[in-house]
Amino acid sequence: MEKMVYGFTRDTGRIKTVSCLRNIMSPNPEITTYIKSLYPHRSPVLLHCPEFMGNEKKYLAECIDTKYVSYVGRFVADMENKIKAITGAKHAVALVNGTAALHMLLLAAGITNGDEVITQTLSFAATAAAIMHAGATPVFVDVERETLGMSPDSLRSFLAEHATLKSGACVNRVSGKPIKAVIPMHTFGHPVRIDAIQKICDDYSLLLIEDAAESLGSRYRGTHTGTFGKAAILSFNGNKLVTTGGGGMVITDDEAIANRVRYISTTAKRPHRWEFYHDEVGYNLRMPSVNAAIGLAQLEYLNTILSNKRKTSWLYNQFFHTLGIKYITEPENAKSNYWLNAIIFNNRKERDEFLEYSNANGVQTRPAWNLLHTLPPYQYCQCTPTPNAEYFADCLVNIPSSVRT
Ligand SMILES: *Cc1c(COP(=O)(O)O)cnc(C)c1O
């Protein structure tokens, strides 16, 4: 048993000594030391730091040499095509960031003033902000313990209690407003039970839109996240699995939605050789070529990134198993990209002690987000009971997860 337990830490002898004391001492120094051993060249060890290991500089030089630095030029189209090949989506439209991508997608999908959109309360602020940008109001449901993503049970019980179908449209009996869409989010890269959520959306005539900002490379029953619903967004922010500096993308099989996103985000200009004719109030939110150049270079070695992160998750899993601390692993039927690794403490006090200790000792760690329904802009939004989300908000800590070089 001892042999098996320590086999994987042969390069970090210190841990063995410390671990003898673990029953009488806090595990925090041991965890922090172990994380440092995984990232020996980093000080401090950041939560998620980009690594550039391919053609990034070469492609950036090409942008400058060719003078194609705006969204004109080969890189935006090449990156969109690469994402289509990776995800299997028929269409992809690159935008300045994931928040803008979700905003544009909601508009293109027909979400408008006075509509309601259901999402999960455990998510990054962008999910709810984009719903508000589109003029709609979020309604929040709980997440599941197994996936950390939207709970199909919470969604169904909310709809059973509060929604009615009026001539094919779903209406919220409490607010009187139409409920138009459901946005589950694949938390930290772990796929939600998307088939169960899809079924509920079908039953209630709701549009399924996936916030796949964190789940590039993650698959559910072999199919890439973001390709189950009507459409999805990806993010290429600096801390995501693959980065363009800042960037996002809409992916969809629906040609009309893709065309509409491209059109409204490119100033709503009708194509013409020289005339400026804009027949609507447009936005200017396309991804510039310099960003796409970095993204394309990163996507060329996506498989290396994914296997590197899978290895790290395996090491973490073994390590936390021996410590008796719960480490989040990929859900059933899913292959996760392990974008951000997470561990669970017994309570908020132990969590806070670890956050204090690790951040003071050169290892960046973060709690889960404050739940969206507790934040000032959303405190008046409708929300189901959220025991699971509260559990994660109290006890979960994200630990360093960068690609190891
Ligand atoms: C990162 C992220 C987004 C989009 O963020 P941007 O920084 O605008 O690219 C949206 N939703 C979630 C859940 C995210 O993590």
Side-chain angles (χ1 to χ4, degrees):
M1 182 61 195
E2 278 293 275
K3 253 206 192 90
M4 199 188 80
V5 165
Y6 291 115
F8 69 99
T9 60
R10 66 197 182 292
D11 52 342
T12 56
R14 263 181 306 171
I15 282 163
K16 188 170 180 175
T17 333
V18 182
S19 75
C20 306
L21 302 168
R22 70 171 171 256
N23 290 331
I24 51 166
M25 278 173 57
S26 138
N28 297 342
E30 188 171 355
I31 299 172
T32 304
T33 303
Y34 182 67
I35 293 172
K36 285 181 180 168
S37 79
L38 290 181
Y39 295 95
H41 317 298
R42 314 272 180 79
S43 184
V45 183
L46 298 176
L47 203 59
H48 207 287
C49 182
E51 288 300 334
F52 301 111
M53 313 192 293
N55 288 320
E56 289 87 349
K57 279 188 180 169
K58 184 176 156 212
Y59 291 170
L60 281 172
E62 187 178 326
C63 288
I64 289 168
D65 293 343
T66 60
K67 305 186 184 184
Y68 284 131
V69 291
S70 73
Y71 70 84
V72 183
R74 81 171 178 103
F75 289 116
V76 173
D78 283 359
M79 186 175 166
E80 288 171 346
N81 288 332
K82 194 86 185 167
I83 285 292
K84 287 193 261 180
I86 290 164
T87 60
K90 290 204 180 89
H91 306 278
V93 185
L95 294 130
V96 291
N97 56 52
T99 314
L102 189 53
H103 178 198
M104 293 299 102
L105 169 55
L106 291 173
L107 294 185
I111 309 301
T112 184
N113 280 334
D115 289 343
E116 291 183 354
V117 175
I118 303 176
T119 190
Q120 61 200 55
T121 187
L122 182 76
S123 187
F124 179 54
T127 315
I131 294 170
M132 299 286 275
H133 293 160
T137 312
V139 170
F140 299 107
V141 299
D142 201 10
V143 296
E144 290 190 293
R145 292 264 181 140
E146 298 72 27
T147 67
L148 286 75
M150 181 178 281
S151 156
D153 299 338
S154 179
L155 176 64
R156 192 178 276 288
S157 69
F158 173 81
L159 290 165
E161 198 175 332
H162 298 301
T164 30
L165 278 169
K166 273 191 197 148
S167 50
C170 186
V171 174
N172 185 334
R173 280 198 298 261
V174 179
S175 64
K177 292 176 175 176
I179 306 174
K180 288 276 184 68
V182 175
I183 309 182
M185 196 276 281
H186 304 285
T187 309
F188 308 141
H190 299 302
V192 298
R193 278 202 289 143
I194 194 73
D195 44 5
I197 294 171
Q198 174 86 71
K199 172 84 175 57
I200 300 166
C201 289
D202 292 347
D203 289 350
Y204 283 87
S205 205
L206 296 165
L207 211 53
L208 176 58
I209 288 172
E210 296 172 71
D211 184 340
E214 306 181 353
S215 66
L216 177 66
S218 299
R219 289 167 186 276
Y220 185 74
R221 297 188 193 277
T223 301
H224 200 287
T225 51
T227 62
F228 291 86
K230 190 72 175 168
I233 63 118
L234 303 172
S235 168
F236 305 105
N237 191 34
N239 63 349
K240 294 298 198 311
L241 188 89
V242 160
T243 187
T244 56
M249 208 170 282
V250 169
I251 55 173
T252 180
D253 281 354
D254 187 313
E255 192 178 4
I257 286 186
N259 287 342
R260 178 95 189 130
V261 167
R262 192 173 279 114
Y263 178 65
I264 59 176
S265 64
T266 321
T267 74
K269 182 180 173 296
R270 287 286 166 209
H272 190 278
R273 275 180 298 160
W274 53 75
E275 209 161 24
F276 293 98
Y277 186 73
H278 307 259
D279 54 4
E280 299 179 44
V281 180
Y283 297 82
N284 181 8
L285 296 172
R286 292 303 306 281
M287 181 189 285
S289 191
V290 279
N291 300 88
I294 299 173
L296 178 66
Q298 293 233 302
L299 291 173
E300 286 172 350
Y301 55 88
L302 177 63
N303 285 337
T304 306
I305 295 173
L306 289 170
S307 58
N308 187 301
K309 291 185 76 89
R310 184 157 280 273
K311 176 83 190 301
T312 305
S313 87
W314 187 85
L315 292 171
Y316 272 145
N317 195 10
Q318 303 295 306
F319 174 73
F320 287 111
H321 182 74
T322 68
L323 269 189
I325 288 181
K326 187 169 161 45
Y327 167 78
I328 303 280
T329 53
E330 63 197 353
E332 222 181 309
N333 301 317
K335 188 150 188 194
S336 175
N337 66 4
Y338 283 99
W339 169 55
L340 268 193
N341 293 288
I343 53 177
I344 308 278
F345 287 88
N346 293 317
N347 50 55
R348 191 177 267 259
K349 183 170 166 290
E350 283 180 22
R351 180 203 76 170
D352 286 348
E353 283 166 6
F354 177 66
L355 286 168
E356 279 292 342
Y357 184 89
S358 52
N359 284 292
N361 286 279
V363 172
Q364 189 182 42
T365 57
R366 289 289 180 265
W369 308 282
N370 276 301
L371 301 180
L372 292 173
H373 76 273
T374 67
L375 301 178
Y378 310 113
Q379 59 187 327
Y380 300 108
C381 295
Q382 219 175 340
C383 184
T384 63
T386 54
N388 296 335
E390 283 162 40
Y391 164 71
F392 291 125
D394 280 341
C395 303
L396 182 143
V397 177
N398 286 121
I399 53 176
S401 303
S402 312
V403 166
R404 290 179 307 116
T405 53

